[in-house]
Amino acid sequence: MPAFQILKEKLPDGIVILTIRGFLDAHTFEELEKTIDDLFESGVYKLTVDLSGLDYISSAGAGVFIGAIGRAQENDGNIILMKPSANVKEVFDLLGLSHIFTFKDSREESVKALR
Amino acid sequence: MGLGYAESQVALRGRLFKTGITVSSQPASLSLVRDFIGRVTERLQMPRGEAGQCVLAVDEAVANIMEHGYGGVSDAPIEIDVEADSACLRIVVRDEADTFDPLIVPDPDLPRHVAMGRNRGLGLFLMRRMMDEVHYRAGEPIGNELTLIKRFHRPVRCAF
């Protein structure tokens, strides 16, 4: 199994769910950054990111979300984060990101928050 | 209980164990480093949360060396020595890059950092938060040595 995987699912209303799995670090963050940049370029600014399969995140990984949320919100979109594990959530907490990002426990709640 | 238990009991009088790894400065080495520190914390039967903090701190230290110390050069050495005694886990990260004390870098103003969408420069902050102590020593004539210390909040014993 690769160290890092991104699955992309398009929903109605211009919403995309990204499911990321594995290890998001200084080696793999560029893959996620490019995926999000490509979505923005195609006019998709409403994203839900399913973190339930993410085993690990470092500051480089969290930085991808910091860099992206402003652009999403400027374009009437948002980035909703879904079901992070305790260790992943701890990194968001320590970086003060838990006040900036909306966390949801289910796909339905995440999608609802974007509509 | 087998031999490992006996060894760990003897070792508890002083050092529990000492081990190390040297990796090249390519980003793919980060997973090797994390696995290595993960194995150490398992061997010490550290609580999961504290173990994860050690893994993250070392990952951030090494990623910082790769990006800033070696400037993206992928074949330079990074040496990690680990030793544990009954009080703490001590992780020493050495490189051969130009000397630079990362501890002089102030903590970022997080709200401002995030508001500006700055997506880098948070690793050292996290590293310091994850560990109980961080010390720096410049090498002679080049190189850097960063010591990360995690104190044990309950007695640990090696699991061999």
Side-chain angles (χ1 to χ4, degrees):
Chain A
M1 185 177 149
F4 183 61
Q5 271 187 316
I6 305 173
L7 305 175
K8 193 165 56 178
E9 184 183 353
K10 289 185 179 178
L11 299 183
D13 302 326
I15 295 171
V16 166
I17 296 182
L18 293 178
T19 301
I20 60 178
R21 293 179 183 153
F23 297 81
L24 182 55
D25 63 6
H27 184 211
T28 58
F29 79 97
E30 286 174 338
E31 194 179 337
L32 178 62
E33 197 168 62
K34 183 177 185 316
T35 300
I36 293 177
D37 280 349
D38 288 348
L39 286 168
F40 286 172
E41 289 305 312
S42 68
V44 173
Y45 294 99
K46 294 180 178 179
L47 302 179
T48 279
V49 186
D50 183 347
L51 302 173
S52 61
L54 190 65
D55 297 303
Y56 177 84
I57 190 168
S58 70
S59 66
V64 175
F65 298 109
I66 296 172
I69 191 166
R71 196 167 161 203
Q73 291 177 342
E74 282 165 14
N75 289 278
D76 296 323
N78 205 352
I79 297 175
I80 306 294
L81 302 178
M82 190 165 77
K83 294 192 288 189
S85 64
N87 60 311
V88 169
K89 182 66 163 47
E90 183 185 19
V91 172
F92 279 96
D93 289 343
L94 279 169
L95 293 176
L97 302 177
S98 300
H99 303 297
I100 292 158
F101 287 91
T102 302
F103 290 85
K104 295 292 182 186
D105 292 327
S106 73
R107 183 186 170 105
E108 291 71 28
E109 287 177 41
S110 301
V111 169
K112 191 176 169 187
L114 286 168
R115 285 198 167 122
Chain B
M1 301 288 182
L3 180 61
Y5 177 75
E7 282 180 353
S8 69
Q9 290 303 298
V10 172
L12 271 171
R13 292 182 200 144
R15 186 184 293 158
L16 284 174
F17 69 87
K18 184 172 182 177
T19 183
I21 186 176
T22 300
V23 297
S24 64
S25 54
Q26 55 184 319
S29 297
L30 287 170
S31 61
L32 298 176
V33 170
R34 289 196 300 268
D35 288 348
F36 170 69
I37 299 297
R39 283 197 301 276
V40 166
T41 59
E42 277 176 22
R43 196 169 162 187
L44 290 167
Q45 300 180 328
M46 287 176 68
R48 194 171 175 175
E50 291 176 20
Q53 291 171 348
C54 292
V55 170
L56 178 59
V58 178
D59 179 294
E60 297 289 358
V62 171
N64 197 59
I65 291 167
M66 289 171 174
E67 182 178 359
H68 300 293
Y70 288 133
V73 171
S74 62
D75 59 353
I78 298 172
E79 186 184 318
I80 299 166
D81 284 332
V82 175
E83 64 177 65
D85 58 26
S86 56
C88 69
L89 174 64
R90 184 187 308 267
I91 303 164
V92 181
V93 183
R94 294 187 191 87
D95 65 62
E96 295 178 1
D98 291 340
T99 56
F100 174 72
D101 181 358
L103 303 186
I104 63 169
V105 178
D107 281 346
D109 177 342
L110 284 179
R112 184 175 158 80
H113 198 95
V114 172
M116 293 171 69
R118 292 183 61 192
N119 56 0
R120 306 306 300 271
L122 297 168
L124 293 175
F125 168 78
L126 270 186
M127 179 188 77
R128 285 183 242 184
R129 283 298 188 91
M130 294 290 148
M131 304 304 284
D132 292 309
E133 295 176 40
V134 180
H135 304 281
Y136 171 78
R137 195 162 67 97
E140 290 287 344
I142 60 162
N144 303 279
E145 182 181 290
L146 202 59
T147 301
L148 313 175
I149 295 173
K150 191 74 165 176
R151 285 192 288 273
F152 300 133
H153 299 292
R154 69 180 194 197
V156 298
R157 191 179 73 191
C158 265
F160 289 97

